């Protein structure tokens, strides 16, 4: 089976399936660093690309180079990931000391389940999330899902950065996600790299209509919405991004479900006026109803 046919088949299988004033008191348990950590929002790619090498997949190479720069420039104590693939009722933080690798995709060839990434957790910093936001629930019933480890295995290929995930409350409104990110901003002062992992455009149901017809070309509207998102970020119109279902005619088409979109809200919630926002990966949408726009806040 050639790669195009496999992509079509695989995606079809896949689709079937408190306030800021209190932060200082809560975060005194972790030492403050002299250099504040950046924040990422990144695509985690699509499952079909997981076995591909950096040479085969330019996005993987970009993550690899970014990871080298981050470890050279910062003392990264841990990474906190808001992944599109851990959806819960309520908000949970994973406090495991050892992270299991979760293959939460189905119907793929055997080699897709022989890609290994091991990283330790960071219980101390995970507990800090609970101290900052008491309504967050602690759990050991998770690990690293495919919204996290495929991206991390290129960003930090040695697995030498402890990592843990915070879940996405699927039923919460967009401003909840933005505010939760805002409340966790103080972790940037403690050596924690915070990563929102998703996609600003992600409509698998719509894309599948094209794949069934052997058509891998974008619909055309993806570039319009991707450019609009970029403009809102550049102009710091975060209210429009939070209100995405109503602020643009394509908002509900680009993100019919919140899972892949709202990680951007956590990342933007970490931003303040002295931050720069740089796109470390931006390319025209290459497949239907999908975007890989990714940026760093620093």
């Amino acid at each position: 089976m050639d790669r195009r046919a496999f992509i079509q088949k695989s995606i079809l299988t896949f689709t079937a399936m408190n306030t800021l004033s209190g932060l200082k008191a809560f975060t005194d348990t972790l030492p403050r660093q002299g250099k504040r950590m950046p924040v990422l929002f990144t695509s985690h790619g699509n499952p079909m690309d997981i076995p591909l090498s950096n040479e085969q997949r330019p996005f993987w190479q970009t993550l690899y180079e970014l990871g080298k720069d981050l470890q050279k420039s910062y003392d990264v104590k841990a990474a906190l990931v808001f992944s599109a693939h851990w959806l819960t009722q309520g908000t949970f933080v994973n406090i495991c000391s050892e992270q299991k690798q979760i293959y939460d995709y189905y119907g793929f060839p055997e080699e897709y389940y022989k890609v290994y990434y091991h990283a330790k957790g960071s219980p101390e910093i995970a507990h800090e999330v609970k101290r900052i936001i008491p309504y967050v629930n602690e759990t050991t019933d998770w690990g690293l899902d495919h919204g996290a480890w495929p991206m991390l295995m290129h960003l930090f290929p040695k697995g030498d950065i402890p990592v843990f995930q915070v879940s996405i409350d699927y039923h919460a409104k967009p401003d909840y996600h933005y505010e939760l990110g805002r409340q966790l901003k103080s972790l940037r002062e403690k050596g924690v790299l915070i990563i929102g992992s998703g996609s600003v455009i992600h409509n698998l149901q719509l894309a599948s209509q094209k794949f069934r017809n052997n058509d891998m070309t974008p619909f055309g509207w993806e570039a319009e919405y991707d450019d609009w998102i970029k403009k809102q970020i550049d102009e710091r119109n975060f209210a429009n991004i939070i209100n995405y279902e109503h602020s643009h005619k394509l908002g509900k088409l680009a993100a019919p479900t919140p899972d892949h979109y709202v990680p951007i809200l956590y990342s933007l919630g970490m931003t303040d006026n002295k931050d720069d926002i740089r796109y470390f990966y931006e390319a025209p949408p290459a497949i239907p109803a999908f975007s890989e726009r990714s940026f760093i806040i620093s």
Side-chain angles (χ1 to χ4, degrees):
M1 183 183 297
D2 63 29
R3 186 169 185 269
R4 171 172 292 208
F6 171 64
I7 287 175
Q8 296 162 10
K9 181 177 184 296
S10 299
I11 289 185
L12 291 177
T13 301
F14 185 63
T15 57
M17 334 184 323
N18 333 29
T19 66
L20 290 175
S21 62
L23 290 181
K24 184 178 186 301
F26 282 126
T27 56
D28 279 345
T29 56
L30 290 179
R32 183 177 296 272
Q33 292 192 337
K35 194 172 185 180
R36 188 171 63 158
M37 291 296 302
V39 177
L40 305 182
F41 172 76
T42 181
S43 167
H44 48 259
N46 62 67
M48 286 67 67
D49 291 335
I50 284 174
L52 299 184
S53 67
N54 289 13
E55 290 74 22
Q56 295 170 304
R57 184 76 170 84
F59 179 61
W60 292 155
Q61 182 64 29
T62 299
L63 286 175
Y64 174 72
E65 296 296 339
L66 176 62
K68 286 200 303 183
D69 289 344
L70 287 170
Q71 290 190 279
K72 180 179 179 180
S73 302
Y74 299 90
D75 182 12
V76 185
K77 299 296 186 184
L80 184 169
V81 179
F82 292 95
S83 163
H85 292 283
W86 189 16
L87 307 175
T88 54
Q89 184 171 347
T91 301
F92 291 78
V93 59
N94 173 17
I95 60 171
C96 294
S97 59
E98 297 287 337
Q99 298 290 21
K100 64 181 177 181
Q101 184 176 358
I102 303 173
Y103 296 93
D104 52 331
Y105 46 82
Y106 312 97
F108 285 69
E110 186 177 357
E111 63 264 27
Y112 282 72
Y113 305 94
K114 292 184 176 180
V115 181
Y116 301 112
Y117 184 74
H118 178 261
K120 293 187 177 297
S122 182
E124 178 187 7
I125 298 177
H127 289 314
E128 193 75 8
V129 172
K130 173 75 172 180
R131 284 190 284 268
I132 295 172
I133 308 178
Y135 61 79
V136 171
N137 305 287
E138 295 184 339
T139 184
T140 57
D141 188 25
W142 204 248
L144 300 178
D145 56 50
H146 87 273
W149 64 261
M151 168 267 297
L152 290 166
M153 68 186 294
H154 298 283
L155 191 67
F156 301 124
K158 295 180 181 179
D160 53 349
I161 300 297
V163 61
F164 65 100
Q165 290 186 215
V166 173
S167 75
I168 291 173
D169 185 342
Y170 187 83
H171 303 285
K173 295 190 179 299
D175 55 356
Y176 170 91
H177 304 292
Y178 180 83
E179 177 61 22
L180 195 150
R182 195 169 73 94
Q183 291 186 57
L184 292 176
K185 187 188 301 185
S186 63
L187 292 177
R188 295 182 62 185
E189 309 288 347
K190 311 299 176 106
V192 183
L193 176 70
I194 299 167
I195 306 172
S197 178
S199 180
V200 296
I201 301 173
H202 190 271
N203 189 328
L204 280 178
Q205 183 176 7
L206 192 61
S208 296
Q209 297 174 10
K210 282 210 164 197
F211 298 140
R212 291 188 188 100
N213 295 316
N214 197 32
D215 184 356
M216 299 293 290
T217 61
F219 289 93
W221 55 263
E222 297 93 340
E224 177 185 347
Y225 191 70
D226 188 65
D227 288 344
W228 180 81
I229 286 286
K230 180 180 187 297
K231 186 174 188 293
Q232 305 316 301
I233 294 171
D234 290 345
E235 297 179 359
R236 306 297 176 100
N237 292 328
F238 295 166
N240 282 344
I241 298 174
I242 295 169
N243 193 34
Y244 71 98
E245 293 180 306
H246 307 288
S247 54
H248 193 282
K249 63 183 179 181
L250 295 172
K252 290 184 178 180
L253 190 66
T257 57
D259 42 285
H260 280 73
Y261 184 87
V262 298
I264 195 175
L265 302 181
Y266 289 97
S267 297
L268 292 177
M270 308 280 175
T271 310
D272 58 34
N273 292 333
K274 58 187 176 183
D275 282 317
D276 292 323
I277 303 178
R278 175 177 62 84
Y279 303 96
F280 66 84
Y281 194 86
E282 57 178 345
I287 61 175
F290 190 71
S291 167
E292 290 186 319
R293 178 172 297 280
S294 303
F295 57 83
I296 181 170
I297 299 164
S298 61

